[in-house]
Amino acid sequence: MPRRLARFLPALLCGGLVVFAYAGSLGNTFHFDDAHVLVSNLYLRSLSNVPLFFTDALTYSGLPANATYRPLVSATLALDYRLGGGLEPFAFRADQLVELLLLWGALAALYRRLFDLAIPHRRNGLLALLSATFFAVHTANTETMNLMHVRSEILSALGVVVAFLLWLGSRRARRTGLYLVPVAVGALAKVPAVVFAPLLLVLSFLLVARWRGEGLGSPGTRAKLARAARTFLPAFVAGAGIYAFVAYMNAEGQTYGGGDWLDYARTQAWAWLHYLRLFVLPAGLTADSDLALVTEWWDTRLFAGLGLLALLAVAFVAAARRRRAWPAAFGLAWFALGLLPTSSVLPLAEPVNEHRYFLAYAGLVLA
């Protein structure tokens, strides 16, 4: 019995560390968009409204312009309201912590699987556990844990991670398409879960087709890319369908509140550098950055951001060329693709939010 307990002791200690990291916040009140998504949202006061969440996006928020189709978020918030007997912060925050623990466990399993595929080693389990714990307690992820409506990031990321676990671990799931179910469920929390499809293309390119940095114009690379594309095609079709469905279900009049798309796109190059800096040095965190848009092409922030994108591309190819380092290349691609849905040309009201990188950081930790 002591020997069996010793096998689980590292996981118990790491899980305890995650709980300890957020234990002091369980009594925090609600902030920012929680006001209209949670506090003033009368639909959350009864579980009988749960079916309505899946048919009417207006139930998500008291502000029609913010009525995004996220029924899974509303359903979990309604459950917390019932369990807490009202707007009791502890019930909502404890649920959010449980969701993070589920993602922590799923990430540890996924990291372990990828490490074993690259370099089989008896210590891969411990490395994967420590990596997932580092992600879960990273200071830069505290905005995701402190805003109750941002549990959408956790649930969406969980859908992506579980989908990869099914795809990697079960031939039956790959053959039947069962691995796509978590993607659909995650998209009901936040639609960027469909980024699973391009991520699967990259993983297929590196793992199935075994691309190792050859020129993209070579016949061998084109054949490998075609093989990878056949692998990810069902995920692409499903992802496109899921995205179209969520867009259709958004409330009429719903808007993301952004300005000029070109200025927004220029600013995102700098935003990526900002997010990477927070990963290395999570100082100066803020829930409301008031970042000014980059409106001129000669702005030095634009060139700094573009320099980062070039370095990411070089690092991706360098890692892919090493037979045992392809998970690092996959992690870098995960970081980039995880940021694209909210950091590209679709202008949002705020050019930077410190919860948008939550999914992307899971890939950066892997790298």
Side-chain angles (χ1 to χ4, degrees):
M1 188 63 182
R3 187 174 298 177
R4 290 181 181 179
L5 181 62
R7 291 175 56 190
F8 293 100
L9 187 59
L12 292 173
L13 290 175
C14 288
L17 178 61
V18 176
V19 174
F20 175 77
Y22 291 101
S25 68
L26 293 178
N28 285 3
T29 54
F30 306 113
H31 304 283
F32 287 90
D33 287 354
D34 285 343
H36 60 85
V37 174
L38 172 58
V39 177
S40 64
N41 189 346
L42 300 181
Y43 289 104
L44 302 182
R45 309 297 171 89
S46 174
L47 288 178
S48 63
N49 291 322
V50 169
L52 194 59
F53 298 152
F54 291 85
T55 59
D56 187 355
L58 287 171
T59 59
Y60 175 72
S61 169
L63 300 177
N66 295 77
T68 307
Y69 185 68
R70 295 177 183 174
L72 189 58
V73 175
S74 299
T76 59
L77 292 174
L79 179 60
D80 295 343
Y81 187 92
R82 166 58 89 57
L83 294 176
L87 293 172
E88 169 55 49
F90 179 85
F92 293 88
R93 295 189 174 278
D95 183 15
Q96 201 123 319
L97 181 54
V98 169
E99 293 166 9
L100 179 67
L101 287 170
L102 290 174
L103 177 59
W104 164 76
L107 270 178
L110 178 59
Y111 289 160
R112 170 67 183 270
R113 180 70 172 164
L114 293 172
F115 294 162
D116 285 343
L117 288 170
I119 311 175
H121 197 281
R122 61 185 179 86
R123 293 183 180 175
N124 280 351
L126 181 60
L127 177 61
L129 179 64
L130 293 176
S131 300
T133 304
F134 175 69
F135 170 83
V137 302
H138 199 295
T139 311
N141 282 334
T142 51
E143 180 170 312
T144 302
M145 290 298 293
N146 275 295
L147 302 178
M148 294 300 96
H149 69 284
V150 182
R151 66 177 55 179
S152 58
E153 299 284 357
I154 304 174
L155 296 172
S156 179
L158 186 59
V160 173
V161 174
V162 173
F164 274 119
L165 286 173
L166 288 174
W167 190 85
L168 289 168
S170 171
R171 291 182 180 178
R172 182 180 180 184
R174 290 197 299 272
R175 186 174 63 252
T176 61
L178 183 63
Y179 66 94
L180 294 172
V181 173
V183 178
V185 174
L188 294 179
K190 194 170 186 180
V191 74
V194 300
V195 80
F196 171 81
L199 284 175
L200 182 59
L201 175 62
V202 176
L203 182 61
S204 301
F205 202 34
L206 295 170
L207 177 61
V208 179
R210 300 180 184 276
W211 181 72
R212 293 296 175 260
E214 301 90 351
L216 293 179
S218 66
T221 299
R222 289 198 296 269
K224 291 179 179 180
L225 185 58
R227 183 183 177 189
R230 288 194 297 271
T231 302
F232 105 108
L233 187 58
F236 174 79
V237 173
I242 293 168
Y243 180 86
F245 171 75
V246 172
Y248 172 78
M249 293 299 295
N250 281 336
E252 187 176 350
Q254 184 268 339
T255 176
Y256 293 107
D260 182 77
W261 69 269
L262 183 57
D263 291 345
Y264 185 85
R266 289 193 192 102
T267 309
Q268 293 315 299
W270 172 254
W272 284 33
L273 185 60
H274 171 69
Y275 295 151
L276 185 62
R277 195 274 297 173
L278 289 179
F279 182 82
V280 178
L281 182 65
L285 295 169
T286 174
D288 195 4
S289 66
D290 288 328
L291 179 68
L293 290 174
V294 175
T295 57
E296 306 294 347
W297 66 265
W298 57 80
D299 194 307
T300 54
R301 294 177 295 170
L302 173 60
F303 289 102
L306 292 176
L308 170 65
L309 298 183
L311 287 175
L312 284 174
V314 170
F316 172 81
V317 174
R321 283 177 174 169
R322 297 178 60 87
R323 181 178 59 86
R324 302 196 301 176
W326 63 262
F330 178 53
L332 292 173
W334 185 322
F335 174 70
L337 291 171
L339 288 175
L340 274 181
T342 55
S343 295
S344 51
V345 296
L346 178 63
L348 305 180
E350 296 289 339
V352 169
N353 274 134
E354 293 173 3
H355 59 262
R356 294 179 189 170
Y357 50 65
F358 185 78
L359 175 62
Y361 272 8
L364 200 54
V365 169
L366 170 63

